[in-house]
Amino acid sequence: MTKKKPLAENQMLISILASVISIAVGLLFGFILLLILNPSKAGVGMSAMLTTGFGSLDKFGKVLYQAAPLMLCGLSVGFAFKTGLFNIGASGQYTMGAFFALIGAIVLHLPWWACLLLSCVGGGIWGIFPGLFKALFNVNEVITSIMFNWIGMFLVNLLLANTPIMLASAWGASNSDRTADLNVANPSAIIPKAGLDKLFGNSPWINISVFIAIAVAILMWFILQKTTFGYELKACGLNKEASRYAGINANRNIILSMIIAGALSGLGGGLYYLAGTIQYVLEKSVLGMGFDGIPVALLANSHPIGTIFSSLFISYIKVGGSAMQPNFSSETINIIIAVIIYLAAFALLMRGVIMKLLKKLAGKADKEVSA
Amino acid sequence: MTVLANIISLTVIFAVPLLLVALGGMYSEHSGVINLALEGIMVIGALCGCFLLRAFDQNGFGKAHPQVAMLLAILIAAAAGVAFSLLLAFAAINLKADQTIGGTALNIFAPAFAVVVTWAIQGQGQTTIQIPTWIKITQETFGFERTDGFFATLFFKYQYLTTPVAIILFIVAWLLMYKTKFGLRLRACGEHPQAADSVGINVYRMRYAGVMISGFLAGIGGLAYVIAVGSGFSSSVGGYGFLALAVMIFGNWKPFTILGSALIFALFKVIAAYNSSIPFLPKFEGLKDQSSLYQMLPYIVTMVVLVFTSKKSKAPKAEGIPYDKGSR
């Protein structure tokens, strides 16, 4: 008889259990809040949140469509975590990626795949700054990232306002507060649907972006687990001094890791805005998509494959959140997400408790077997 | 000359929230806890303060005793800030959680909570809480007639109770940090908690005190921000909590330099917000949406300043590291 690995030492199982518990507590907290705010509508609101995503093919198409950029922002935050960096700047990198993709689509008339590559470049450029400032000047990457979120947003607004051809008003529409509709400006830049729209009841949302995102997730897993580069990055994250002693160039790895993280978020921006369904609106506050990458990464414990599932979950409750209006604000979802992040902050403690519980359970089972 | 008086008085009113929140950050970090949640604490403070002002406006108490109502709103904002900061303290001190992630969670929580509560109280779609006009301090408050000369503009055009309160709190914060036993002990916990513990200082309690003081100041700062902006509270403080962190770093974790940097940052914010009506600024004719250019300015200045100051920064040595009694 082969002896199975004890449950309590299965790190994967513990991580998944910790995430499931965080989600459950988050949802419970959200429900209690709804009960306090409006007891008669709380049940309706909660079921709207939890069932809308599977309610129709159209909505499920939207879940998959939104999951793609979420997945990439989650991969971005998670990848930086592995190197010991907190990339709270995914939002700015995402905005830059979207901007570069749209320049490629509308001004340069490039096909969709070239625009996606450009979005990686845009995000990557914005990712250089936090890494560079950290490595050269010892500026905390959290502050740099936050500042560059704002700088990026205002810069994109400024550049768009001064490139009239980018705006919808140059293409026969009346509004100048958003970019041109790609269906009019350059249909070849729209990410192909590959017949998926037929499968999803002509949902306008669905395209191959979610598959691109999953492919990138697998690629990131490969880089982190199977290459020397990935090993060095993880070593830096675990102990910067020790890895430096072992001959790893820590500064180079910090900068490279942030560039890759930036490129991932940037690609997310490209995937979202090249679908041809949503136009980039000149914003007054930083886009939330990048921040949603943080719970995606934390729920997945920064594991690239786990990110696929956590992004689908976050996308699912986000689609459900819009269906809670007008009884409740869709911001309720962000409260639940905040609770999940808060719990993730003391994940180590929670993992310890789960491990103890599993050991106890295993101990009981052993006793029963021997008795 | 009136333009100059306008700019100075606007700079002061914008500096008030930055100063208060940066001082809050200073207290938290000197005790050893990185308070990234300042932004969220500001939102919660502003939410509670604004709702109290709205209630006073509706029941008539505000018009009858405007400054008493304002003082109560400030106290409520401070109390709400303290209560909300306890969430960070609990996670960071008792549970030894990652302080950056905990702070981020609170920053996502606060604006969402504010939107949801504002919806529930004001009705759907009503996302802005209006600030009543009676909170303003004018010459009439002191029984004089209203004039609009240089000094009248300087002292009374943008004058609210938050400004004198901030001046008092600044002096108290400085005295408490550098002239009392408590301040010395607090700083010891941020520099070398093990050493502090060995001479009988309760590190956990001191860190709780540091975070709660930061919640107190940031809560008031949130209300002061809403008053400075003047267009009501719509569940956001526009990144001011993060700017305050930059002000604190630029101010090298010391009160007087924080005061100076708060004034400099506020000046840039005023330029960003009022660039079109300040006559001697370059207008960049031919460029559309110049205001975006000016709005980027405070953040770019922050980065440039941080590059030059971070190498010799005097950050508390033990900040961000959970204190574990066992690892002494």
Side-chain angles (χ1 to χ4, degrees):
Chain A
M1 209 176 93
T2 53
K3 201 163 185 198
K4 268 209 286 189
K5 212 168 148 192
L7 272 178
E9 279 161 33
N10 188 339
Q11 288 299 324
M12 184 81 95
L13 179 74
I14 290 167
S15 296
I16 293 173
L17 270 178
S19 297
V20 170
I21 292 172
S22 304
I23 290 172
V25 174
L27 289 176
L28 187 69
F29 187 90
F31 186 58
I32 293 171
L33 189 75
L34 295 191
L35 272 178
I36 294 169
L37 290 174
N38 190 347
S40 60
K41 293 278 169 56
V44 185
M46 206 63 192
S47 75
M49 183 205 298
L50 292 177
T51 57
T52 308
F54 284 137
S56 70
L57 281 172
D58 178 63
K59 289 281 188 249
F60 189 60
K62 195 172 181 187
V63 169
L64 293 181
Y65 161 69
Q66 272 194 359
L70 278 173
M71 207 179 292
L72 282 156
C73 290
L75 285 171
S76 166
V77 176
F79 193 76
F81 267 137
K82 288 275 184 194
T83 327
L85 299 164
F86 185 30
N87 180 20
I88 200 170
S91 181
Q93 296 145 15
Y94 173 87
T95 308
M96 271 296 154
F99 174 70
F100 270 59
L102 290 170
I103 287 281
I106 300 168
V107 178
L108 306 174
H109 264 276
L110 295 171
W112 62 275
W113 53 267
C115 296
L116 285 183
L117 286 179
L118 267 182
S119 71
C120 291
V121 173
I125 291 175
W126 224 237
I128 291 176
F129 296 101
L132 203 65
F133 281 42
K134 167 108 178 177
L136 294 184
F137 307 110
N138 192 30
V139 183
N140 189 324
E141 81 276 7
V142 174
I143 294 284
T144 315
S145 300
I146 290 167
M147 293 298 140
F148 273 87
N149 281 344
W150 291 91
I151 297 173
M153 181 195 80
F154 286 122
L155 186 63
V156 167
N157 280 358
L158 184 69
L159 292 174
L160 283 179
N162 287 289
T163 324
I165 196 173
M166 288 293 288
L167 301 174
S169 49
W171 299 86
S174 59
N175 32 12
S176 58
D177 68 332
R178 59 195 63 206
T179 55
D181 185 355
L182 289 181
N183 292 300
V184 183
N186 180 8
S188 71
I190 294 177
I191 298 170
K193 299 189 186 302
L196 284 166
D197 47 339
K198 305 243 160 34
L199 215 65
F200 278 83
N202 283 327
S203 166
W205 307 105
I206 188 76
N207 58 27
I208 61 167
S209 58
V210 71
F211 299 104
I212 297 175
I214 291 173
V216 173
I218 295 169
L219 176 72
M220 294 326 287
W221 174 81
F222 183 82
I223 290 177
L224 279 173
Q225 297 296 331
K226 306 286 172 195
T227 65
T228 318
F229 174 61
Y231 184 80
E232 285 190 6
L233 286 184
K234 282 192 292 182
C236 278
L238 288 171
N239 191 334
K240 199 170 148 190
E241 301 310 320
S243 59
R244 193 174 280 156
Y245 185 72
I248 297 171
N249 186 340
N251 278 349
R252 185 184 132 248
N253 278 337
I254 285 175
I255 296 172
L256 269 180
S257 148
M258 279 309 292
I259 291 177
I260 294 173
L264 288 168
S265 302
L267 181 61
L271 287 178
Y272 192 69
Y273 288 102
L274 289 179
T277 41
I278 286 179
Q279 292 150 275
Y280 183 88
V281 180
L282 270 62
E283 294 288 341
K284 285 272 170 276
S285 60
V286 177
L287 289 171
M289 188 69 87
F291 290 106
D292 292 336
I294 298 168
V296 169
L298 289 174
L299 272 181
N301 196 20
S302 303
H303 192 287
I305 305 298
T307 309
I308 299 176
F309 299 101
S310 58
S311 64
L312 282 168
F313 168 74
I314 298 285
S315 177
Y316 183 83
I317 61 166
K318 285 220 152 225
V319 168
S322 331
M324 292 167 75
Q325 308 208 57
N327 290 328
F328 298 101
S329 161
S330 61
E331 298 279 329
T332 313
I333 299 300
N334 281 348
I335 293 183
I336 294 172
I337 288 176
V339 173
I340 292 174
I341 301 183
Y342 187 75
L343 293 177
F346 43 90
L348 265 181
L349 187 95
M350 201 147 86
R351 294 220 170 94
V353 171
I354 294 172
M355 212 186 283
K356 259 185 211 157
L357 279 177
L358 284 178
K359 265 190 189 148
K360 241 186 208 166
L361 280 176
K364 257 188 199 163
D366 278 352
K367 261 181 209 161
E368 275 165 23
V369 169
S370 56
Chain B
M1 278 309 266
T2 28
V3 175
L4 195 65
N6 266 321
I7 293 176
I8 294 173
S9 54
L10 276 170
T11 303
V12 169
I13 195 177
F14 272 91
V16 164
L18 281 179
L19 172 69
L20 288 174
V21 181
L23 286 175
M26 178 188 85
Y27 264 91
S28 176
E29 300 218 346
H30 271 306
S31 79
V33 179
I34 294 180
N35 193 345
L36 206 68
L38 289 171
E39 176 96 358
I41 298 172
M42 285 178 79
V43 169
I44 296 293
L47 177 76
C48 296
C50 289
F51 264 125
L52 191 71
L53 285 176
R54 181 175 176 268
F56 283 150
D57 190 43
Q58 283 170 345
N59 68 12
F61 176 79
K63 275 215 179 67
H65 309 280
Q67 296 317 318
V68 178
M70 188 63 194
L71 188 65
L72 288 173
I74 290 174
L75 288 176
I76 278 289
V82 171
F84 194 60
S85 71
L86 283 175
L87 287 173
L88 177 75
F90 178 66
I93 300 165
N94 296 93
L95 300 178
K96 303 182 176 50
D98 186 312
Q99 297 169 5
T100 328
I101 297 175
T104 304
L106 297 185
N107 284 338
I108 294 180
F109 179 88
F113 181 76
V115 171
V116 170
V117 170
T118 313
W119 264 56
I121 294 180
Q122 296 205 134
Q124 50 161 297
Q126 304 263 323
T127 48
T128 304
I129 311 173
Q130 298 299 337
I131 300 284
T133 47
W134 44 255
I135 58 168
K136 201 166 191 168
I137 298 177
T138 61
Q139 283 147 299
E140 284 152 353
T141 313
F142 300 99
F144 299 118
E145 248 182 66
R146 213 179 265 224
T147 53
D148 51 0
F150 178 80
F151 287 102
T153 312
L154 191 61
F155 290 113
F156 290 110
K157 185 152 183 199
Y158 304 101
Q159 185 65 272
Y160 299 91
L161 191 62
T162 41
T163 309
V165 165
I167 295 170
I168 295 167
L169 285 176
F170 170 76
I171 296 167
V172 172
W174 170 69
L175 287 175
L176 187 63
M177 185 65 97
Y178 287 99
K179 305 288 166 197
T180 65
K181 223 190 299 181
F182 170 80
L184 187 66
R185 289 180 170 175
L186 189 86
R187 282 179 287 141
C189 292
E191 289 297 329
H192 202 309
Q194 286 82 2
D197 198 358
S198 71
V199 292
I201 299 170
N202 186 334
V203 177
Y204 294 153
R205 199 181 294 165
M206 291 313 271
R207 287 195 167 179
Y208 257 98
V211 174
M212 283 163 74
I213 293 173
S214 83
F216 182 90
L217 292 169
I220 301 176
L223 185 61
Y225 167 84
V226 178
I227 288 167
V229 171
S231 55
F233 175 64
S234 28
S235 303
S236 157
V237 291
Y240 246 60
F242 296 119
L243 272 182
L245 271 180
V247 165
M248 178 198 71
I249 296 172
F250 182 34
N252 228 341
W253 291 266
K254 288 196 182 78
F256 281 96
T257 33
I258 285 177
L259 174 65
S261 58
L263 286 169
I264 295 173
F265 273 77
L267 179 63
F268 278 109
K269 265 287 177 188
V270 170
I271 291 173
Y274 296 89
N275 63 79
S276 55
S277 50
I278 301 177
F280 46 80
L281 282 179
K283 285 285 174 289
F284 302 105
E285 302 289 343
L287 198 67
K288 280 177 198 149
D289 192 28
Q290 314 92 328
S291 72
S292 280
L293 193 66
Y294 282 111
Q295 279 173 317
M296 266 193 284
L297 216 62
Y299 306 100
I300 294 175
V301 172
T302 308
M303 282 325 301
V304 172
V305 161
L306 287 182
V307 163
F308 285 109
T309 52
S310 270
K311 279 262 162 167
K312 50 175 184 183
S313 81
K314 294 218 171 59
K317 289 214 172 53
E319 67 168 14
I321 309 161
Y323 178 60
D324 191 350
K325 256 192 169 167
S327 71
R328 204 198 298 175

